[in-house]
Amino acid sequence: MDKLPWIILSAGDNVAVATAAIAPGSTVAGIETREKIDPGHKVAISDIPLGAAVVKYGQAIGRTTAEVKAGDHVHSHNLHFENDRLAATANSAPEMATSEDRARTFMGYRRADGRAATRNYIGIIASVNCSTTVCRAIADEANRTILPHYEGIDGFVPIVHDQGCGMSSTGDGMNVLHRTLAGYTRHVNFGGVLMIGLGCEVNQLTLYGQSGAGASKRHFNIQDAGGSRRAVERAMGMLREIAADVGKEKRVPMSIGEIIIGLQCGGSDGFSGITANPALGIAADLLAAAGGTAILSETSEIYGAEHLLRSRAVSDEVANKLDEKIAWWEDYVALHGASLDNNPSPGNKRGGLTTILEKSLGAVAKGGRSPLTAVYGYAERVTAPGLVFMDTPGYDPVSATGQVAGGANMIAFTTGRGSCFGCRPAPSLKLSSNSALYASMEEDMDIDCGTIATGDATISGKGREIFELIVDTASGKKTKSELFGYGDNEFVPWHLGATL
């Protein structure tokens, strides 16, 4: 039997989604298409009056700006954002985890404080933009001269940024920067850390102590070292001592319940919420069932679907914290004369997405169906197991930076348009939502989830494939982004507050 080039996602939907190009005059759900429908785009399967809700995933994604006839293309030209919510349906159970799933182990590094690492890097962290060039020079020299002597070290990673001075020493901006950098200095995938300051910046090294103690945690200022070249020379001496300690680490078996994975999506398209995101949700459910942690984020990209997530909260306290984050974002964008519906990018729209409601309903699928156990602020340390939520912007580098600062020792990133991304020290898996993307950018994509749309794979089956790759990657298998060298430039702390 031929596979249909369209799919209806939920009973009650008044649109279908094209899984392949549909020509005018084709039959979709018993109606005749009136125009061409590109892959990932929507076609009306019934007449939709002017001002009526367009329903996809069983939820409103906006209202029509013109009368829509059955067979019409439904997109930005006849659909606009309106802040509707339809009632959340009863939550279905998470993916069933077997006893074998719960007993799975991976090969990781056991740190002295008991935490589990998936990589064994040494971080060179800048306290301020003024020390970034020196940090890069230190990392380059260390990778050239020290790394070849230590097979057990994954590399020396410069963590640099454009903040740290020209800002208030108090308030949201400084609090977020400090929390983010502190999270990286203690990140489990850094066996050792050297933090470099200039000396006169607002973000003083004294705020970070010795980053957690031990010979593997050091810092100094360039001004105290006598200049840039002398700072590099001084750093080499320290890093040789740190490497001698970190290089002794060996991988040992540990429970997959110690994996903390950040869930990301970027460059989304009309397939993201149908293939890659729900498949990643299956993997997140399996990990949560085994005692692990999955961090869902991007508050501006769950807007419109937050009521579905709220209905899964384990307590009123957790639900209310999520409500507070949504309210803050509504005020924040209004203050800057923007709307949360500004979020879908031109690439998102070319891929078939229209409003933030539609994008969010697909994005929240990454979180699977597990109960929501906790809500965290940006870059706060994540301690609860299961599915948790962290408040972050939708901009991928900023969001993932917050997740890693909070303790994510892996990232899983879905994309429909072709986002390229890495996030050292956490390995980043890339999951394509459609097979055309996988074929054109295979060197960047770890798994093709487009086979779900073609009927060659199921969401559950692909979710288990992702789950297996998570375990293998945690054990040391290199991701495509790691092999290319991504991860040094994607550290982007959330910039809040005035630049002075």
Side-chain angles (χ1 to χ4, degrees), residues 50-386:
L50 169 64
V54 174
V55 181
K56 179 183 176 185
Y57 302 109
Q59 292 291 316
I61 63 171
R63 291 187 178 271
T64 56
T65 57
E67 182 181 3
V68 174
K69 294 291 187 183
D72 282 348
H73 179 211
V74 179
H75 198 48
S76 301
H77 63 288
N78 56 11
L79 167 64
H80 75 152
F81 168 78
E82 192 157 319
N83 210 352
D84 292 332
R85 304 288 191 279
L86 297 181
T89 56
N91 290 314
S92 54
E95 181 76 3
M96 183 66 69
T98 66
S99 56
E100 289 79 9
D101 293 332
R102 293 183 172 90
R104 293 290 298 275
T105 62
F106 75 100
M107 298 296 292
Y109 297 97
R110 180 68 68 195
R111 300 304 187 195
D113 62 4
R115 293 181 299 158
T118 63
R119 295 292 184 268
N120 194 32
Y121 285 110
I122 294 174
I124 317 298
I125 301 179
S127 69
V128 64
N129 176 258
C130 308
S131 61
T132 60
T133 299
V134 166
C135 284
R136 289 191 186 281
I138 290 170
D140 287 346
E141 182 67 11
N143 281 319
R144 186 179 68 83
T145 63
I146 301 177
L147 185 62
H149 301 287
Y150 295 95
E151 185 177 339
I153 298 176
D154 288 303
F156 294 82
V157 181
I159 300 295
V160 300
H161 53 96
D162 65 352
Q163 298 185 49
C165 209
M167 61 192 300
S168 172
S169 61
T170 59
D172 289 342
M174 187 61 184
N175 290 340
V176 166
L177 177 63
H178 178 261
R179 194 161 66 234
T180 304
L181 289 173
Y184 271 70
T185 64
R186 66 169 177 261
H187 196 278
V188 68
N189 284 0
F190 281 139
V193 165
L194 175 60
M195 195 169 192
I196 305 294
L198 178 61
C200 54
E201 63 269 18
V202 172
N203 187 34
Q204 288 283 301
L205 290 180
T206 52
L207 296 170
Y208 299 88
Q210 280 296 106
S211 305
S216 61
K217 309 287 185 180
R218 309 283 188 88
H219 64 222
F220 69 85
N221 287 315
I222 297 168
Q223 291 167 352
D224 295 335
S228 300
R229 294 187 186 281
R230 289 178 181 174
V232 175
E233 293 171 1
R234 180 174 177 179
M236 288 305 105
M238 291 182 172
L239 290 177
R240 288 187 182 94
E241 294 175 359
I242 292 173
D245 184 31
V246 175
K248 298 174 184 176
E249 298 285 339
K250 303 292 184 184
R251 289 186 180 270
V252 297
M254 49 190 66
S255 168
I256 61 167
E258 299 184 78
I259 294 174
I260 304 175
I261 191 162
L263 310 175
Q264 285 291 319
C265 60
S268 299
D269 68 351
F271 289 106
S272 294
I274 302 171
T275 61
N277 288 354
L280 178 55
I282 295 291
D285 282 342
L286 293 172
L287 184 64
T293 304
I295 308 173
L296 183 66
S297 297
E298 301 174 295
T299 315
S300 57
E301 293 187 8
I302 66 154
Y303 187 74
E306 76 282 349
H307 62 302
L308 306 179
L309 194 59
R310 188 188 195 281
S311 69
R312 292 154 51 189
V314 297
S315 68
D316 289 342
E317 180 185 3
V318 171
N320 291 338
K321 286 185 73 173
L322 184 62
D323 290 343
E324 291 169 5
K325 302 303 182 187
I326 294 293
W328 183 92
W329 273 92
E330 290 176 327
D331 292 343
Y332 179 62
V333 295
L335 179 66
H336 293 278
S339 163
L340 284 165
D341 192 46
N342 295 145
N343 179 282
S345 69
N348 293 152
K349 292 182 178 181
R350 285 193 296 272
L353 298 177
T354 49
T355 66
I356 184 56
L357 304 181
E358 181 179 13
K359 185 176 182 181
S360 293
L361 287 163
V364 79
K366 300 192 304 294
R369 293 168 289 182
S370 296
L372 180 67
T373 61
V375 174
Y376 294 93
Y378 184 83
E380 285 187 349
R381 192 169 187 173
V382 173
T383 56

Side-chain angles (χ1 to χ4, degrees), residues 104-108 117-119 251 256 259 261 287 410 427 429 446-447 464-479 482:
R104 293 290 298 275
T105 62
F106 75 100
M107 298 296 292
T118 63
R119 295 292 184 268
R251 289 186 180 270
I256 61 167
I259 294 174
I261 191 162
L287 184 64
M410 286 189 65
L429 289 169
D446 295 284
I447 287 184
R464 284 194 165 272
E465 182 181 341
I466 295 169
F467 177 68
E468 293 296 333
L469 186 55
I470 288 171
V471 176
D472 289 344
T473 302
S475 298
K477 181 178 179 179
K478 298 292 186 184
T479 67
E482 286 181 293

Side-chain angles (χ1 to χ4, degrees), residues 384-446:
L387 175 67
V388 305
F389 185 80
M390 176 180 284
D391 180 34
T392 76
Y395 183 43
D396 314 317
V398 177
S399 181
T401 294
Q403 291 176 330
V404 174
N409 50 23
M410 286 189 65
I411 297 288
F413 191 123
T414 69
T415 182
R417 303 297 293 177
S419 295
C420 300
F421 189 77
C423 204
R424 295 203 290 178
S428 177
L429 289 169
K430 299 301 297 297
L431 316 173
S432 70
S433 71
N434 62 85
S435 296
L437 168 61
Y438 186 83
S440 65
M441 295 183 66
E442 186 174 353
E443 64 182 21
D444 293 291
M445 301 295 132
D446 295 284

